[in-house]
mmCIF file of all heavy atoms in Angstrom:
data_model
loop_
_atom_site.group_PDB
_atom_site.id
_atom_site.type_symbol
_atom_site.label_atom_id
_atom_site.label_comp_id
_atom_site.label_asym_id
_atom_site.label_seq_id
_atom_site.Cartn_x
_atom_site.Cartn_y
_atom_site.Cartn_z
ATOM 1 N N TRP A 1 101.569 133.209 162.827
ATOM 2 C CA TRP A 1 102.686 133.718 162.024
ATOM 3 C C TRP A 1 102.487 135.193 161.680
ATOM 4 O O TRP A 1 101.386 135.614 161.352
ATOM 5 C CB TRP A 1 102.797 132.936 160.720
ATOM 6 C CG TRP A 1 103.297 131.534 160.881
ATOM 7 C CD1 TRP A 1 102.555 130.395 160.957
ATOM 8 C CD2 TRP A 1 104.663 131.123 160.990
ATOM 9 N NE1 TRP A 1 103.350 129.300 161.102
ATOM 10 C CE2 TRP A 1 104.660 129.710 161.124
ATOM 11 C CE3 TRP A 1 105.881 131.799 160.979
ATOM 12 C CZ2 TRP A 1 105.829 128.971 161.248
ATOM 13 C CZ3 TRP A 1 107.046 131.061 161.104
ATOM 14 C CH2 TRP A 1 107.020 129.674 161.237
ATOM 15 N N PHE A 2 103.574 135.962 161.763
ATOM 16 C CA PHE A 2 103.538 137.337 161.262
ATOM 17 C C PHE A 2 104.956 137.775 160.890
ATOM 18 O O PHE A 2 105.948 137.254 161.395
ATOM 19 C CB PHE A 2 102.926 138.301 162.286
ATOM 20 C CG PHE A 2 103.713 138.489 163.544
ATOM 21 C CD1 PHE A 2 104.650 139.509 163.670
ATOM 22 C CD2 PHE A 2 103.516 137.641 164.632
ATOM 23 C CE1 PHE A 2 105.373 139.687 164.843
ATOM 24 C CE2 PHE A 2 104.227 137.814 165.809
ATOM 25 C CZ PHE A 2 105.164 138.839 165.907
ATOM 26 N N GLU A 3 105.026 138.705 159.949
ATOM 27 C CA GLU A 3 106.316 139.200 159.446
ATOM 28 C C GLU A 3 106.519 140.634 159.894
ATOM 29 O O GLU A 3 105.597 141.452 159.868
ATOM 30 C CB GLU A 3 106.353 139.134 157.918
ATOM 31 C CG GLU A 3 107.709 139.503 157.323
ATOM 32 C CD GLU A 3 107.721 139.419 155.805
ATOM 33 O OE1 GLU A 3 106.622 139.306 155.217
ATOM 34 O OE2 GLU A 3 108.812 139.474 155.215
ATOM 35 N N GLU A 4 107.720 140.943 160.318
ATOM 36 C CA GLU A 4 108.058 142.297 160.763
ATOM 37 C C GLU A 4 109.491 142.592 160.340
ATOM 38 O O GLU A 4 110.422 141.870 160.711
ATOM 39 C CB GLU A 4 107.895 142.412 162.278
ATOM 40 C CG GLU A 4 108.289 143.756 162.855
ATOM 41 C CD GLU A 4 107.381 144.896 162.397
ATOM 42 O OE1 GLU A 4 106.259 144.614 161.919
ATOM 43 O OE2 GLU A 4 107.799 146.058 162.522
ATOM 44 N N ASN A 5 109.650 143.643 159.533
ATOM 45 C CA ASN A 5 110.972 144.058 159.056
ATOM 46 C C ASN A 5 111.742 142.919 158.407
ATOM 47 O O ASN A 5 112.950 142.738 158.635
ATOM 48 C CB ASN A 5 111.797 144.666 160.196
ATOM 49 C CG ASN A 5 111.218 145.973 160.696
ATOM 50 O OD1 ASN A 5 110.611 146.725 159.935
ATOM 51 N ND2 ASN A 5 111.386 146.246 161.982
ATOM 52 N N GLY A 6 111.038 142.129 157.591
ATOM 53 C CA GLY A 6 111.688 141.071 156.825
ATOM 54 C C GLY A 6 111.966 139.794 157.595
ATOM 55 O O GLY A 6 112.545 138.858 157.044
ATOM 56 N N LYS A 7 111.559 139.723 158.875
ATOM 57 C CA LYS A 7 111.769 138.519 159.673
ATOM 58 C C LYS A 7 110.421 137.933 160.082
ATOM 59 O O LYS A 7 109.455 138.670 160.278
ATOM 60 C CB LYS A 7 112.599 138.831 160.917
ATOM 61 C CG LYS A 7 114.023 139.272 160.615
ATOM 62 C CD LYS A 7 114.802 139.513 161.896
ATOM 63 C CE LYS A 7 116.237 139.922 161.604
ATOM 64 N NZ LYS A 7 117.023 140.146 162.855
ATOM 65 N N TRP A 8 110.413 136.607 160.206
ATOM 66 C CA TRP A 8 109.182 135.926 160.601
ATOM 67 C C TRP A 8 109.199 135.580 162.082
ATOM 68 O O TRP A 8 110.234 135.199 162.639
ATOM 69 C CB TRP A 8 108.984 134.658 159.766
ATOM 70 C CG TRP A 8 108.471 134.950 158.395
ATOM 71 C CD1 TRP A 8 109.203 135.110 157.254
ATOM 72 C CD2 TRP A 8 107.112 135.171 158.031
ATOM 73 N NE1 TRP A 8 108.389 135.405 156.195
ATOM 74 C CE2 TRP A 8 107.089 135.448 156.638
ATOM 75 C CE3 TRP A 8 105.902 135.160 158.726
ATOM 76 C CZ2 TRP A 8 105.907 135.705 155.953
ATOM 77 C CZ3 TRP A 8 104.726 135.413 158.046
ATOM 78 C CH2 TRP A 8 104.739 135.680 156.673
ATOM 79 N N TYR A 9 108.019 135.709 162.687
ATOM 80 C CA TYR A 9 107.840 135.432 164.104
ATOM 81 C C TYR A 9 106.563 134.611 164.271
ATOM 82 O O TYR A 9 105.735 134.532 163.358
ATOM 83 C CB TYR A 9 107.709 136.726 164.905
ATOM 84 C CG TYR A 9 108.895 137.650 164.779
ATOM 85 C CD1 TYR A 9 108.997 138.539 163.707
ATOM 86 C CD2 TYR A 9 109.913 137.647 165.727
ATOM 87 C CE1 TYR A 9 110.091 139.391 163.587
ATOM 88 C CE2 TYR A 9 111.004 138.498 165.615
ATOM 89 C CZ TYR A 9 111.085 139.363 164.543
ATOM 90 O OH TYR A 9 112.167 140.194 164.429
ATOM 91 N N TYR A 10 106.429 134.057 165.466
ATOM 92 C CA TYR A 10 105.221 133.281 165.751
ATOM 93 C C TYR A 10 104.735 133.611 167.154
ATOM 94 O O TYR A 10 105.467 133.436 168.138
ATOM 95 C CB TYR A 10 105.494 131.776 165.630
ATOM 96 C CG TYR A 10 104.246 130.919 165.720
ATOM 97 C CD1 TYR A 10 103.532 130.594 164.570
ATOM 98 C CD2 TYR A 10 103.771 130.444 166.939
ATOM 99 C CE1 TYR A 10 102.385 129.818 164.619
ATOM 100 C CE2 TYR A 10 102.624 129.672 167.012
ATOM 101 C CZ TYR A 10 101.936 129.365 165.842
ATOM 102 O OH TYR A 10 100.797 128.608 165.908
ATOM 103 N N GLY A 11 103.503 134.112 167.241
ATOM 104 C CA GLY A 11 102.894 134.396 168.534
ATOM 105 C C GLY A 11 102.050 133.219 168.979
ATOM 106 O O GLY A 11 101.193 132.751 168.223
ATOM 107 N N GLN A 12 102.313 132.715 170.189
ATOM 108 C CA GLN A 12 101.520 131.611 170.709
ATOM 109 C C GLN A 12 100.084 132.075 170.918
ATOM 110 O O GLN A 12 99.764 133.251 170.779
ATOM 111 C CB GLN A 12 102.135 131.111 172.018
ATOM 112 C CG GLN A 12 103.573 130.614 171.874
ATOM 113 C CD GLN A 12 104.192 130.255 173.205
ATOM 114 O OE1 GLN A 12 103.554 129.677 174.079
ATOM 115 N NE2 GLN A 12 105.464 130.593 173.374
ATOM 116 N N THR A 13 99.204 131.137 171.280
ATOM 117 C CA THR A 13 97.784 131.488 171.429
ATOM 118 C C THR A 13 97.572 132.570 172.488
ATOM 119 O O THR A 13 96.619 133.338 172.406
ATOM 120 C CB THR A 13 96.952 130.248 171.797
ATOM 121 O OG1 THR A 13 97.529 129.613 172.949
ATOM 122 C CG2 THR A 13 96.926 129.254 170.636
ATOM 123 N N ASN A 14 98.490 132.638 173.470
ATOM 124 C CA ASN A 14 98.391 133.690 174.489
ATOM 125 C C ASN A 14 99.191 134.928 174.109
ATOM 126 O O ASN A 14 99.317 135.863 174.900
ATOM 127 C CB ASN A 14 98.855 133.168 175.849
ATOM 128 C CG ASN A 14 100.317 132.735 175.844
ATOM 129 O OD1 ASN A 14 100.993 132.816 174.828
ATOM 130 N ND2 ASN A 14 100.791 132.266 176.978
ATOM 131 N N GLY A 15 99.738 134.932 172.881
ATOM 132 C CA GLY A 15 100.453 136.090 172.375
ATOM 133 C C GLY A 15 101.926 136.114 172.690
ATOM 134 O O GLY A 15 102.669 136.918 172.112
ATOM 135 N N VAL A 16 102.382 135.256 173.627
ATOM 136 C CA VAL A 16 103.808 135.241 173.964
ATOM 137 C C VAL A 16 104.603 134.792 172.748
ATOM 138 O O VAL A 16 104.255 133.823 172.078
ATOM 139 C CB VAL A 16 104.084 134.304 175.154
ATOM 140 C CG1 VAL A 16 105.578 134.206 175.426
ATOM 141 C CG2 VAL A 16 103.356 134.797 176.389
ATOM 142 N N LEU A 17 105.681 135.506 172.467
ATOM 143 C CA LEU A 17 106.491 135.212 171.298
ATOM 144 C C LEU A 17 107.153 133.848 171.444
ATOM 145 O O LEU A 17 107.742 133.534 172.480
ATOM 146 C CB LEU A 17 107.558 136.297 171.133
ATOM 147 C CG LEU A 17 108.042 136.567 169.709
ATOM 148 C CD1 LEU A 17 106.899 136.998 168.816
ATOM 149 C CD2 LEU A 17 109.121 137.634 169.734
ATOM 150 N N GLN A 18 107.043 133.019 170.406
ATOM 151 C CA GLN A 18 107.624 131.684 170.421
ATOM 152 C C GLN A 18 109.148 131.760 170.362
ATOM 153 O O GLN A 18 109.718 132.531 169.598
ATOM 154 C CB GLN A 18 107.115 130.880 169.215
ATOM 155 C CG GLN A 18 107.720 129.506 169.072
ATOM 156 C CD GLN A 18 107.215 128.547 170.133
ATOM 157 O OE1 GLN A 18 106.090 128.648 170.587
ATOM 158 N NE2 GLN A 18 108.049 127.591 170.514
ATOM 159 N N THR A 19 109.794 130.970 171.186
ATOM 160 C CA THR A 19 111.231 130.735 171.076
ATOM 161 C C THR A 19 111.442 129.226 171.103
ATOM 162 O O THR A 19 110.543 128.479 171.480
ATOM 163 C CB THR A 19 112.016 131.394 172.232
ATOM 164 O OG1 THR A 19 111.524 130.898 173.484
ATOM 165 C CG2 THR A 19 111.873 132.912 172.193
ATOM 166 N N SER A 20 112.607 128.768 170.670
ATOM 167 C CA SER A 20 112.924 127.353 170.602
ATOM 168 C C SER A 20 112.125 126.690 169.464
ATOM 169 O O SER A 20 111.682 127.351 168.533
ATOM 170 C CB SER A 20 112.674 126.677 171.951
ATOM 171 O OG SER A 20 113.166 125.357 171.945
ATOM 172 N N TRP A 21 111.916 125.388 169.567
ATOM 173 C CA TRP A 21 111.308 124.630 168.471
ATOM 174 C C TRP A 21 109.787 124.765 168.451
ATOM 175 O O TRP A 21 109.144 124.853 169.487
ATOM 176 C CB TRP A 21 111.664 123.153 168.596
ATOM 177 C CG TRP A 21 113.097 122.853 168.268
ATOM 178 C CD1 TRP A 21 114.116 122.663 169.142
ATOM 179 C CD2 TRP A 21 113.658 122.730 166.959
ATOM 180 N NE1 TRP A 21 115.293 122.427 168.467
ATOM 181 C CE2 TRP A 21 115.041 122.460 167.121
ATOM 182 C CE3 TRP A 21 113.135 122.830 165.667
ATOM 183 C CZ2 TRP A 21 115.891 122.290 166.043
ATOM 184 C CZ3 TRP A 21 113.991 122.653 164.585
ATOM 185 C CH2 TRP A 21 115.348 122.379 164.773
ATOM 186 N N LEU A 22 109.236 124.747 167.239
ATOM 187 C CA LEU A 22 107.784 124.779 167.035
ATOM 188 C C LEU A 22 107.433 123.828 165.905
ATOM 189 O O LEU A 22 108.055 123.860 164.837
ATOM 190 C CB LEU A 22 107.320 126.186 166.669
ATOM 191 C CG LEU A 22 105.868 126.295 166.166
ATOM 192 C CD1 LEU A 22 104.897 126.118 167.332
ATOM 193 C CD2 LEU A 22 105.625 127.611 165.452
ATOM 194 N N LYS A 23 106.449 122.976 166.139
ATOM 195 C CA LYS A 23 105.934 122.129 165.068
ATOM 196 C C LYS A 23 104.635 122.726 164.566
ATOM 197 O O LYS A 23 103.667 122.880 165.313
ATOM 198 C CB LYS A 23 105.690 120.701 165.553
ATOM 199 C CG LYS A 23 105.348 119.757 164.397
ATOM 200 C CD LYS A 23 105.225 118.316 164.863
ATOM 201 C CE LYS A 23 105.010 117.393 163.655
ATOM 202 N NZ LYS A 23 104.828 115.983 164.062
ATOM 203 N N ASP A 24 104.602 123.070 163.279
ATOM 204 C CA ASP A 24 103.415 123.641 162.658
ATOM 205 C C ASP A 24 103.038 122.747 161.482
ATOM 206 O O ASP A 24 103.767 122.685 160.489
ATOM 207 C CB ASP A 24 103.695 125.072 162.188
ATOM 208 C CG ASP A 24 102.444 125.761 161.673
ATOM 209 O OD1 ASP A 24 101.348 125.443 162.160
ATOM 210 O OD2 ASP A 24 102.565 126.603 160.758
ATOM 211 N N GLY A 25 101.916 122.048 161.605
ATOM 212 C CA GLY A 25 101.583 121.053 160.587
ATOM 213 C C GLY A 25 102.555 119.889 160.693
ATOM 214 O O GLY A 25 102.752 119.302 161.745
ATOM 215 N N GLN A 26 103.225 119.573 159.597
ATOM 216 C CA GLN A 26 104.209 118.497 159.581
ATOM 217 C C GLN A 26 105.638 119.006 159.658
ATOM 218 O O GLN A 26 106.587 118.216 159.633
ATOM 219 C CB GLN A 26 104.037 117.663 158.289
ATOM 220 C CG GLN A 26 102.694 116.955 158.182
ATOM 221 C CD GLN A 26 102.467 116.008 159.348
ATOM 222 O OE1 GLN A 26 103.324 115.177 159.673
ATOM 223 N NE2 GLN A 26 101.296 116.107 159.981
ATOM 224 N N ASP A 27 105.816 120.289 159.760
ATOM 225 C CA ASP A 27 107.157 120.879 159.705
ATOM 226 C C ASP A 27 107.585 121.436 161.057
ATOM 227 O O ASP A 27 106.769 121.948 161.834
ATOM 228 C CB ASP A 27 107.201 122.005 158.661
ATOM 229 C CG ASP A 27 106.983 121.489 157.251
ATOM 230 O OD1 ASP A 27 107.531 120.417 156.919
ATOM 231 O OD2 ASP A 27 106.250 122.150 156.486
ATOM 232 N N TRP A 28 108.904 121.363 161.298
ATOM 233 C CA TRP A 28 109.515 121.927 162.497
ATOM 234 C C TRP A 28 110.254 123.208 162.148
ATOM 235 O O TRP A 28 110.915 123.300 161.117
ATOM 236 C CB TRP A 28 110.503 120.930 163.113
ATOM 237 C CG TRP A 28 109.859 119.790 163.833
ATOM 238 C CD1 TRP A 28 109.529 118.571 163.317
ATOM 239 C CD2 TRP A 28 109.473 119.758 165.205
ATOM 240 N NE1 TRP A 28 108.954 117.778 164.272
ATOM 241 C CE2 TRP A 28 108.913 118.480 165.450
ATOM 242 C CE3 TRP A 28 109.547 120.678 166.248
ATOM 243 C CZ2 TRP A 28 108.428 118.102 166.695
ATOM 244 C CZ3 TRP A 28 109.075 120.303 167.497
ATOM 245 C CH2 TRP A 28 108.521 119.030 167.707
ATOM 246 N N TYR A 29 110.143 124.197 163.030
ATOM 247 C CA TYR A 29 110.825 125.481 162.873
ATOM 248 C C TYR A 29 111.548 125.801 164.180
ATOM 249 O O TYR A 29 111.168 125.318 165.243
ATOM 250 C CB TYR A 29 109.829 126.601 162.561
ATOM 251 C CG TYR A 29 109.011 126.375 161.306
ATOM 252 C CD1 TYR A 29 107.858 125.584 161.340
ATOM 253 C CD2 TYR A 29 109.371 126.960 160.094
ATOM 254 C CE1 TYR A 29 107.101 125.367 160.195
ATOM 255 C CE2 TYR A 29 108.619 126.750 158.946
ATOM 256 C CZ TYR A 29 107.488 125.955 159.006
ATOM 257 O OH TYR A 29 106.748 125.753 157.875
ATOM 258 N N TYR A 30 112.560 126.654 164.071
ATOM 259 C CA TYR A 30 113.277 127.064 165.276
ATOM 260 C C TYR A 30 113.280 128.589 165.349
ATOM 261 O O TYR A 30 113.588 129.276 164.364
ATOM 262 C CB TYR A 30 114.717 126.553 165.279
ATOM 263 C CG TYR A 30 115.430 126.848 166.579
ATOM 264 C CD1 TYR A 30 115.277 126.016 167.678
ATOM 265 C CD2 TYR A 30 116.217 127.987 166.723
ATOM 266 C CE1 TYR A 30 115.893 126.294 168.888
ATOM 267 C CE2 TYR A 30 116.842 128.275 167.924
ATOM 268 C CZ TYR A 30 116.676 127.422 169.007
ATOM 269 O OH TYR A 30 117.292 127.702 170.192
ATOM 270 N N PHE A 31 112.956 129.093 166.540
ATOM 271 C CA PHE A 31 112.910 130.534 166.765
ATOM 272 C C PHE A 31 113.978 130.923 167.785
ATOM 273 O O PHE A 31 114.085 130.321 168.855
ATOM 274 C CB PHE A 31 111.519 130.963 167.250
ATOM 275 C CG PHE A 31 110.450 130.723 166.226
ATOM 276 C CD1 PHE A 31 109.838 129.484 166.132
ATOM 277 C CD2 PHE A 31 110.085 131.723 165.347
ATOM 278 C CE1 PHE A 31 108.862 129.250 165.175
ATOM 279 C CE2 PHE A 31 109.108 131.497 164.388
ATOM 280 C CZ PHE A 31 108.498 130.262 164.297
ATOM 281 N N LYS A 32 114.767 131.922 167.429
ATOM 282 C CA LYS A 32 115.875 132.365 168.277
ATOM 283 C C LYS A 32 115.358 133.094 169.515
ATOM 284 O O LYS A 32 114.163 133.317 169.668
ATOM 285 C CB LYS A 32 116.813 133.245 167.446
ATOM 286 C CG LYS A 32 117.490 132.491 166.308
ATOM 287 C CD LYS A 32 118.404 133.365 165.481
ATOM 288 C CE LYS A 32 117.637 134.210 164.489
ATOM 289 N NZ LYS A 32 118.522 134.915 163.533
#
């Protein structure tokens, strides 16, 4: 997880920016 200009993003372990659904812990998130 990282924040840039007020928006949150998620970099996968290889650094590629996450898009679509992500399960982190018990919660699901969606990345445009």
